[in-house]
Every structure is written in C-alpha cells, then in structure tokens.
Amino acid sequence: MTFNNVVVVGGETLGSQIAFMSAFHGKNTTIWGRSDGSLDRAKARVARWEEAVKKDIGATDQQVKDAEAHLHYTTDLKAALKGADLVVEALSEDPDVKNDFYKKFSDLADPDTVIVTNTSTLLPSEFADATGRPEKYLGYHFANSIWKNNTAEIMSQSKTSKDLPKEMEQFSREIGMVPILVNKEQPGYLLNSLLVPFLSDALVLWNNGVSDPETIDRAWMIGTGAPLGPFAIMDSIGMKTMYDITKMSTNPEVKKASEKFKTMIDQGKIGRESGKGFYTYPDPDFKKPEFLK
C-alpha cells in the first residue's frame, strides 16, 4: 500500500518537518493545528525548513515551490481526516493530550486510515486501544533535521498488523528516509534510548553546579570530536520538548533538574526556534573558532 494523503497532527518542530518532507516528496500533506495561531507558527517553521533544504541538500527553488503546492493547513479536524491514508500524531509528550486526540480521531477518521505516533519516549501500546484501530497503529520516530539526519524508526506494539511495518518502511523510503526497524517496544526507540540519558546527565551536571553549559559542551566537543555538545543539542530539540521528556524521568536528579527548562520557557528562551536558549542564534558561540580553544 502506498500512502499518498498524509495528515500530520501538530506542527511543532518535528511535526512540521515530517509534513514538509512528505510534501517535498510529492505527498498530498495537511498539517492540522488547534488554532490559527498554531498554524501560523507551523508556517513560520516550514519557511525555515525551506531554506534549510536548499542549504543542506541542495534543493532547488522549484522543488520548494512544488512542496508548497502539496502542503495544506487547517484547524478543521473532520475535514483534515476525510480521505486520509496516513495520520502522523506529533503532539506533545503528554498522555492526556494524546488520548484526547485519539478519541476524536477514532470518531472521525475513515475505517482504513492508518495512524502512527511520533512520540519520543512513550510506548505506542499505551494508546493503541484509544485509536480504535490498534492493528493500524505503531510508533514512528524521526531525528531532528530529518532532511539530512534522515532516520525513521518504526516500532510496532503487540496488536500491530504484521504488514504495517513493511508499509511504513516503503513510505519512509518514498519521503527520503532510511527506515530503522525496532524489533521490540522500547521507550525512546533506539536513538532516544541513547540520546536522552546523555542529555539528562549533562543537565544534572549543570543543575548540581558541577559546571556550566558552555564548558560541558566544550569538554564533549573537544574530547569526542562531535560537532555539538549536549546543550547545543537541547537548543535544537527545544525546551518545551526537553521539559516534557525530563519531567517524567524516574531519576529524581533529572526530574529536579527539569525545572530549569520550565524557568527558561517562562522567560521565552525555548531554544534555537526563539533565537535564544542556552546560546543566542543565529550566531551561537559554539560555532565560533575560539570556542574550542
């Protein structure tokens, strides 16, 4: 089965990237948002992705124009779901928010519509029955900047049809991704199972006064040759997502340190998107030659 009519629920960082790259590869794609304001923010993000694909993968102006023609925006959920082949839920890491959406989806969506969740750390099995079609539901997660970091992790839950992972593997390749099949349910899939503890440890070091974000990043970048340190990565992910992830940690040190993100969010410092997080953009200190000296 080929998915041609794609709906992305939520136009935050990853949701807007998934929608844009689906449209970029010719899929008829709709971003659904709760309000006009949320759609305006999604459109602003897509404008940034348009410039990024030109810079990072050499996309042409015509390719971007064609993608725009395939990408639509609406606050009307019933209209968005009508005729949808595939729905990608990319809402915040809040079980209540997801369950509320799945109830509406179950009531409105066509019987054959497949739904997948882009949750970063929660298990698809927690929500499978709420979708009303557990056999047509699995986890589907991307790395940030998906046009260049182009992994798509596919993770079934116990009630997922055996054919659906293969269909999602095909879809992933059609939108320029490298499918990564996860054999067993795991919070965080593969990528975030490795990444989240790394970022959490950096956050605890800072919260406990062991060192400051710049020095921690510098130690990691010089010591490993990595292009980014943990706090630069957090800026890219965004403070809202980091707060949602870390506040649910079972590690009391991480849970306590997560309040740092709440403080930053309240100050409007939500990361690269707002121009200010741990660093100031578009010219962050870690990009300057003297940072590693």
Side-chain angles (χ1 to χ4, degrees):
M1 178 178 179
T2 297
F3 302 118
N4 289 318
N5 297 314
V6 179
V7 176
V8 178
V9 176
E12 296 291 330
T13 299
L14 271 177
S16 59
Q17 290 182 20
I18 296 165
F20 176 64
M21 290 310 291
S22 296
F24 186 84
H25 288 276
K27 304 295 184 181
N28 180 46
T29 308
T30 299
I31 294 178
W32 175 80
R34 292 189 186 88
S35 66
D36 290 335
S38 68
L39 292 182
D40 288 341
R41 291 188 291 274
K43 291 174 184 178
R45 293 182 187 103
V46 167
R48 292 202 301 276
W49 313 149
E50 290 176 343
E51 294 306 311
V53 295
K54 292 178 187 178
K55 177 183 176 183
D56 294 337
I57 63 173
T60 66
D61 289 340
Q62 186 60 51
Q63 285 177 303
V64 168
K65 186 176 180 180
D66 290 344
E68 291 174 348
H70 285 100
L71 186 56
H72 318 284
Y73 303 82
T74 186
T75 58
D76 186 336
L77 183 58
K78 184 177 181 179
L81 293 176
K82 185 175 177 59
D85 300 322
L86 174 66
V87 173
V88 181
E89 176 268 301
L91 295 169
S92 63
E93 293 290 271
D94 184 327
D96 291 337
V97 170
K98 291 184 185 296
N99 276 317
D100 179 66
F101 167 74
Y102 290 138
K103 183 178 185 305
K104 295 174 182 174
F105 167 85
S106 180
D107 292 339
L108 295 173
D110 297 342
D112 293 334
T113 301
V114 168
I115 181 166
V116 297
T117 179
N118 184 55
T119 178
S120 298
T121 55
L122 301 172
L123 291 176
S125 57
E126 295 180 40
F127 310 101
D129 289 337
T131 68
R133 60 199 71 196
E135 75 284 357
K136 298 180 184 295
Y137 178 69
L138 51 67
Y140 193 47
H141 187 258
F142 296 74
N144 200 19
S145 300
I146 70 173
W147 50 89
K148 60 177 180 177
N149 304 324
N150 59 328
T151 60
E153 295 179 279
I154 301 165
M155 185 170 72
S156 296
Q157 38 84 26
S158 63
K159 298 179 182 179
T160 302
S161 162
K162 65 180 179 59
D163 294 325
L164 185 55
K166 298 173 186 176
E167 294 170 1
M168 293 308 300
E169 184 176 1
Q170 177 184 336
F171 174 76
S172 300
R173 295 194 185 281
E174 289 173 355
I175 63 168
M177 301 298 115
V178 176
I180 305 293
L181 294 172
V182 182
N183 296 330
K184 182 180 179 181
E185 265 199 314
Q186 164 67 31
Y189 307 75
L190 304 183
L191 179 62
N192 278 346
S193 291
L194 299 169
L195 180 61
V196 170
F198 166 61
L199 300 181
S200 297
D201 284 348
L203 179 63
V204 170
L205 286 174
W206 174 43
N207 192 54
N208 288 343
V210 176
S211 194
D212 58 85
E214 293 84 358
T215 302
I216 295 169
D217 277 5
R218 188 178 293 114
W220 183 257
M221 293 167 71
I222 295 174
T224 67
L228 298 175
F231 290 93
I233 294 173
M234 291 186 225
D235 270 356
S236 182
I237 294 170
M239 302 309 137
K240 293 178 181 178
T241 299
M242 288 302 308
Y243 179 63
D244 285 341
I245 292 171
T246 54
K247 73 180 181 182
M248 296 186 294
S249 175
T250 56
N251 182 332
E253 288 279 310
V254 175
K255 198 174 185 69
K256 178 181 176 183
S258 73
E259 291 304 311
K260 293 274 194 178
F261 293 127
K262 183 67 166 59
T263 300
M264 295 177 73
I265 293 167
D266 291 343
Q267 295 173 348
K269 299 177 181 179
I270 62 172
R272 186 184 290 266
E273 180 177 347
S274 66
K276 201 165 187 65
F278 293 104
Y279 297 92
T280 300
Y281 298 86
D283 187 29
D285 286 346
F286 65 81
K287 288 286 189 182
K288 299 174 182 176
E290 60 270 21
F291 186 76
L292 299 181
K293 297 180 180 178

